[in-house]
């Protein structure tokens, strides 16, 4: 196993460390007004696994990721990450548990007034208290991994959408999250830029032990990287299983209908 403390992220160990449950949602209910979006939802994700959420628009996929990012609070239920409660929990604990989770959004959300390098080093320095030199060294390694070394001094507006999204991925990884949440990260991209971003994510899935929770309409990608696929409908998991099973022999009519519409 590598002892290189400057590695940009934790490499996949020979024997997975910390196996067991990393994320657990128990009886989570989320309402907007009188619309119940998630209804007593239970699920868990084991450390190092890659889980893809699929399902029709409005079925609650983004809501789950936003709950994990603490951008929303559940109305009922508990959320636990790495054995510590994220909800309900005191503010200080929420801030600590939140550091274990990184997210990449559909709309990149880079800081427009900062260079690529600064976009990546800002949070490690200000939130984790990392030295500027160490943060920059890690940022350079991450930029190499996402193929953007030549763009280190540019601002987001000088980059293509695909390049911006690869910076956003590097920025999320710079915080060394245990969990990476990905919400339709290629949906806003021109078609010719999608493959480059998916290749970077495949590489991360293959070479790191980061737990991934991914919402995507890219079914080939989902089939490649997922250990498990969860099919949502109206805020409930109606079917779950290995990708070969869900994509080739779905049991539920709703899953079949959904897949025939997107495949
Ligand atoms: N802030 C909000 N206020 C009110 N309703 C909301 C809010 N956010 C989401 N909703 C509603 O919650 C439901 C689930 O939304 P969510 O964004 O989780 O769906 P989704 O599965 O991610 O859909 P899509 O595939 O279109 O992204 C939808 O009916 C949506 O209109
Ligand atoms: Mg969504």
């Amino acid at each position: 196993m590598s002892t290189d403390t400057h590695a940009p992220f934790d490499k996949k160990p020979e024997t997975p460390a910390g196996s067991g449950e990393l994320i657990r949602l128990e009886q989570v209910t989320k309402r907007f007004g009188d619309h119940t979006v998630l209804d007593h939802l239970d699920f868990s994700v084991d450390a190092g696994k890659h889980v893809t959420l699929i399902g029709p628009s409005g079925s609650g996929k983004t809501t789950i990721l936003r709950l994990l990012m603490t951008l929303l609070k559940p109305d009922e239920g508990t959320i636990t990450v790495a054995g510590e409660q994220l909800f309900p929990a005191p503010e200080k604990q929420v801030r600590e548990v939140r550091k274990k989770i990184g997210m990449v959004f559909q709309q990149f959300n880079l800081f427009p007034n900062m260079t690529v390098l600064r976009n990546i080093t800002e949070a490690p320095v200000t939130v984790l208290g990392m030295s500027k030199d160490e943060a920059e060294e890690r940022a350079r390694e991450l930029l190499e991994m996402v193929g953007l070394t030549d763009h280190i001094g540019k601002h987001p507006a000088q980059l293509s959408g695909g390049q911006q999204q690869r910076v956003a991925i590097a920025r999320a990884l710079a915080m060394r999250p245990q969990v990476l949440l990905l919400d339709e990260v290629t949906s806003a991209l021109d078609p010719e830029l999608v493959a480059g971003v998916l290749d970077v994510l495949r590489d991360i899935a293959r070479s790191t032990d980061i737990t991934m929770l991914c919402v995507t309409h890219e079914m080939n990608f989902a089939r490649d990287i997922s250990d498990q696929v969860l099919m949502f409908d109206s805020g409930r998991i109606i079917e779950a299983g290995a990708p070969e099973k869900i994509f080739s022999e779905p049991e539920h009519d709703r899953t079949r209908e959904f897949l025939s519409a997107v495949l």
Side-chain angles (χ1 to χ4, degrees), residues 30-136:
K30 178 65 194 170
R31 300 182 196 94
F32 293 108
D34 54 12
H35 179 193
T36 302
V37 173
L38 302 176
D39 190 6
H40 296 91
L41 179 72
D42 283 316
F43 80 89
S44 62
V45 178
D46 283 350
K49 296 293 181 198
H50 310 138
V51 174
T52 300
L53 314 184
I54 63 169
S57 182
S59 58
K61 306 178 299 294
T62 294
T63 301
I64 291 166
L65 301 193
R66 290 173 60 85
L67 289 169
L68 283 165
M69 274 310 275
T70 66
L71 298 169
L72 289 173
K73 278 188 186 343
D75 295 294
E76 290 166 38
T78 59
I79 301 178
T80 311
V81 176
E84 284 185 279
Q85 223 155 284
L86 182 64
F87 181 87
E91 259 321 298
K92 188 161 172 281
Q93 183 170 328
V94 172
R95 278 200 301 277
E96 284 307 307
V97 180
R98 253 288 279 108
K99 289 181 190 166
K100 301 178 198 291
I101 307 172
M103 183 159 178
V104 182
F105 301 86
Q106 191 173 339
Q107 296 294 344
F108 333 137
N109 298 350
L110 295 175
F111 308 121
N113 56 332
M114 292 183 192
T115 62
V116 164
L117 179 65
R118 182 91 190 279
N119 261 281
I120 299 171
T121 59
E122 184 68 10
V125 170
T126 59
V127 180
L128 300 183
M130 195 180 284
S131 77
K132 194 161 163 267
D133 284 352
E134 191 187 349
E136 289 196 3

Side-chain angles (χ1 to χ4, degrees), residues 117-220:
L117 179 65
R118 182 91 190 279
N119 261 281
I120 299 171
T121 59
E122 184 68 10
V125 170
T126 59
V127 180
L128 300 183
M130 195 180 284
S131 77
K132 194 161 163 267
D133 284 352
E134 191 187 349
E136 289 196 3
E137 189 178 333
R138 292 221 348 237
R140 286 175 204 282
E141 287 168 343
L142 287 163
L143 283 170
E144 194 181 331
M145 188 188 78
V146 301
L148 290 175
T149 301
D150 295 345
H151 302 277
I152 194 163
K154 290 189 179 165
H155 282 76
Q158 296 170 287
L159 301 176
S160 75
Q163 291 167 336
Q164 289 187 57
Q165 194 57 298
R166 285 184 278 146
V167 174
I169 293 166
R171 182 177 63 173
L173 292 179
M175 295 292 282
R176 287 186 188 270
Q178 290 182 38
V179 182
L180 186 62
L181 308 176
L182 302 161
D183 194 4
E184 298 194 33
V185 299
T186 57
S187 300
L189 299 178
D190 291 336
E192 71 273 20
L193 301 178
V194 169
V197 172
L198 294 182
D199 282 347
V200 164
L201 294 174
R202 279 195 183 89
D203 189 32
I204 293 165
R206 202 173 31 234
S207 63
T208 78
D209 63 358
I210 294 175
T211 305
M212 290 164 84
L213 200 54
C214 179
V215 177
T216 184
H217 293 300
E218 298 288 339
M219 294 299 155
N220 288 328

